[in-house]
């Protein structure tokens, strides 16, 4: 479904651009296809039986620079999902004006069933299958769902062995001792926090707002942390097992500890009896001012969109709202901060990590935080201005800005 949503939004945005009809069709033909698709069979031996996992990489478009995109391990990973996400990455890089193209990859596997050794082995096998299509100036990988600095280190190590040289710039989100940037770990969540603050300053007259965060993985946790630092109170958080609602607010450190110890946020109720445990269905219908979607795609859809009460929805995850649901929410005047802006902090700081690896430039956390906040805020101002001027949603405005950048580049290269 994610591919249908992305292509639907892409088509609508392209054919709304103020360019010639034949140019619109040309741009659609370019961006609705990918430059290259690579797949692999990943062997996994268990109990003397060899099983085959599916691996994918879509290199969508490199008009602006080398392909760049996350690498995930998840049971839902498939060709269509990866294709849709690769398009979003192309648009994201264009929107925030960094010299990368879009890509996405992953392995289809039930992550929780894998041992640490098996995770390392399948990542290395993936690299051995695809390494000719990987490179610091070709295709740069980054962590995504169920991948982390440790697995990125395995990725780098295997690639460097195959190339017979250390190639630090081939992957971002690495451990610090391998020339990674620590700030990259929290950049996506911090960016979501900053864009939420920016939206509040534009669309709300008060700061004492009820905020819910769907998802408490890397993005959700650091979004929560940043919002706390900015003075906001989060009253509800959910994960795959359900949610917790605490009208007086949730203590971030205690929730993080409970999640780590017991595996779900729902056990927070054991330390605060005034909190309620929610089903994921109940969570979506919460009466809150702001809902931050920071887990997986297709969370709000036709079946549950009518229950959504939040006035501001921030897409910390990629494509968490289907196109049909998005149109219904827009008709209801709900404000949606689109994923290609809201969660762009990760790729922005990945760019700085890549620059550091390639050119040897070092950046302090203060410099990176300032750069992230400024980029998030200035890009929001630009798309908000387009939104008001054209009387279109923030999503359509963000797509419009990104597509105009890609169109000019394609035209300059003689492709259009």
């Amino acid at each position: 479904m994610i591919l249908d949503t992305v292509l639907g939004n892409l088509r609508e945005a392209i054919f709304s651009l103020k360019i010639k009809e034949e140019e619109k069709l040309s741009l659609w033909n370019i961006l609705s296809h990918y430059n290259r698709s690579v797949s692999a069979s990943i062997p996994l031996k268990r109990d003397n039986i060899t099983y085959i996992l599916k691996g994918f990489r879509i290199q969508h478009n490199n008009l602006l620079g080398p392909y760049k995109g996350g690498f995930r391990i998840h049971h839902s990973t498939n060709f269509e999902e990866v294709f849709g996400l690769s398009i979003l990455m192309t648009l994201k890089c264009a929107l925030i004006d960094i010299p990368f193209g879009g890509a996405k990859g992953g392995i289809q596997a039930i992550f929780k069933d894998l041992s640490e050794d098996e995770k390392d082995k399948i990542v290395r096998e993936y690299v051995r299958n695809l390494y000719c299509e990987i490179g610091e100036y070709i295709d740069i990988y980054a962590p995504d769902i169920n991948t982390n600095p440790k697995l990125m280190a395995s990725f780098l190590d295997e690639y460097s062995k195959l190339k017979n040289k250390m190639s630090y710039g081939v992957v971002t989100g690495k451990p610090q001792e391998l020339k990674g940037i620590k700030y990259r770990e929290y950049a996506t969540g911090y960016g979501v926090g900053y864009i939420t603050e920016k939206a509040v300053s534009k669309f709300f007259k008060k700061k004492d707002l009820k905020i819910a965060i769907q998802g408490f993985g890397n993005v959700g946790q650091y979004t929560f942390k940043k919002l706390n630092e900015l003075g906001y109170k989060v009253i509800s958080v959910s994960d795959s097992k359900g949610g917790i609602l605490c009208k007086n607010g949730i203590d971030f450190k205690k929730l993080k500890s409970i999640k780590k110890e017991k595996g779900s946020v729902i056990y927070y109720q054991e330390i605060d009896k005034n909190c309620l445990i929610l089903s994921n269905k109940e969570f979506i219908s919460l009466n809150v001012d702001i809902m931050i979607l920071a887990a997986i795609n297709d969370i709000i859809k036709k079946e549950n969109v009518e229950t959504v009460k939040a006035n501001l929805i921030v897409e910390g995850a990629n494509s968490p709202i289907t196109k049909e649901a998005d149109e219904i929410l827009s008709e209801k005047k709900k404000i949606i901060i689109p994923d290609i802006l809201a969660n762009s902090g990760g790729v922005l700081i990945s760019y700085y990590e890549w620059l550091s690896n390639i050119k040897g430039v070092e950046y302090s956390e203060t410099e990176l935080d300032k750069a992230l906040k400024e980029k998030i805020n200035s890009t929001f101002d630009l798309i908000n201005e387009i939104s008001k001027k054209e009387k279109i949603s923030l999503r359509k405005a963000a797509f419009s800005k990104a597509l105009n950048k890609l169109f000019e580049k394609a035209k300059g290269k003689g492709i259009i």
Side-chain angles (χ1 to χ4, degrees), residues 152-218:
M152 292 301 101
S154 299
F155 191 110
L156 171 63
D157 182 62
E158 193 63 30
Y159 179 81
S160 297
K161 285 178 181 176
L162 291 164
K163 287 293 185 180
N164 202 30
K165 66 172 184 176
M166 285 304 297
S167 304
Y168 294 105
V170 78
V171 60
T172 59
K174 308 178 293 294
Q176 282 181 285
E177 57 269 26
L178 293 173
K179 300 192 177 183
I181 290 179
K182 178 65 175 173
Y183 191 86
R184 171 63 181 81
E185 183 181 344
Y186 19 95
T188 305
Y190 278 16
V192 175
Y194 283 137
I195 197 66
T196 302
E197 179 188 46
K198 182 71 174 177
V200 167
S201 72
K202 289 288 183 181
F203 304 121
F204 292 91
K205 293 182 179 178
K206 58 178 181 176
K207 196 171 181 177
D208 185 20
L209 301 164
K210 292 180 287 186
I211 300 175
I213 301 175
Q214 188 254 340
F216 200 62
N218 179 275

Side-chain angles (χ1 to χ4, degrees), residues 93-324:
C93 293
L95 177 64
I96 62 172
D97 197 24
I98 56 175
F100 285 144
K104 205 74 172 186
I107 298 172
Q108 187 182 85
I110 301 174
F111 186 77
K112 292 179 181 179
D113 288 352
L114 299 169
S115 68
E116 291 302 309
D117 184 55
E118 287 173 333
K119 292 170 191 173
D120 178 81
K121 284 180 178 177
I122 65 172
V123 167
R124 290 177 182 276
E125 189 63 37
Y126 179 97
V127 175
R128 285 194 286 272
N129 271 267
L130 276 71
Y131 84 97
C132 289
E133 309 297 337
I134 301 169
E136 305 173 294
Y137 297 99
I138 301 170
D139 188 358
I140 304 145
Y141 282 63
D144 200 282
I145 294 175
N146 291 330
T147 50
N148 53 32
K150 183 180 178 181
L151 290 177
M152 292 301 101
S154 299
F155 191 110
L156 171 63
D157 182 62
E158 193 63 30
Y159 179 81
S160 297
K161 285 178 181 176
L162 291 164
K163 287 293 185 180
N164 202 30
K165 66 172 184 176
M166 285 304 297
S167 304
Y168 294 105
V170 78
V171 60
T172 59
K174 308 178 293 294
Q176 282 181 285
E177 57 269 26
L178 293 173
K179 300 192 177 183
I181 290 179
K182 178 65 175 173
Y183 191 86
R184 171 63 181 81
E185 183 181 344
Y186 19 95
T188 305
Y190 278 16
V192 175
Y194 283 137
I195 197 66
T196 302
E197 179 188 46
K198 182 71 174 177
V200 167
S201 72
K202 289 288 183 181
F203 304 121
F204 292 91
K205 293 182 179 178
K206 58 178 181 176
K207 196 171 181 177
D208 185 20
L209 301 164
K210 292 180 287 186
I211 300 175
I213 301 175
Q214 188 254 340
F216 200 62
N218 179 275
V219 178
Q221 285 191 31
Y222 286 113
T223 297
F224 192 144
K225 185 173 184 290
K226 178 53 65 178
L227 286 172
N228 269 187
E229 291 173 1
L230 295 170
Y232 294 92
K233 180 169 67 177
V234 176
I235 67 164
S236 187
V237 175
S238 75
D239 58 25
S240 61
K241 291 186 178 179
I244 194 84
L245 172 63
C246 310
K247 293 184 178 179
N248 294 322
I250 299 170
D251 184 294
F252 171 72
K253 289 183 179 178
K254 290 180 181 178
L255 183 65
K256 186 177 179 181
S257 177
I258 284 286
K259 171 74 174 181
K260 184 177 181 180
E261 180 187 348
K262 298 199 171 185
S264 176
V265 299
I266 62 173
Y267 297 106
Y268 187 85
Q269 201 243 7
E270 295 178 2
I271 62 172
D272 189 341
K273 301 299 182 184
N274 293 317
C275 299
L276 299 174
I277 294 175
L278 307 171
S279 67
N280 282 315
K281 182 178 179 180
E282 290 171 324
F283 181 87
I284 293 298
S285 62
L286 278 174
N287 186 19
V288 293
D289 299 293
I290 302 169
M291 179 160 288
I292 297 168
L293 304 175
I296 57 175
N297 55 281
D298 297 339
I299 291 298
I300 297 180
K301 44 199 168 186
K302 181 183 177 181
E303 292 77 12
N304 63 12
V305 66
E306 296 293 346
T307 71
V308 175
K309 298 181 182 69
N311 290 314
L312 172 65
I313 302 168
V314 183
E315 294 187 329
N318 288 313
S319 197
I321 304 173
T322 67
K323 189 171 192 321
E324 191 172 18

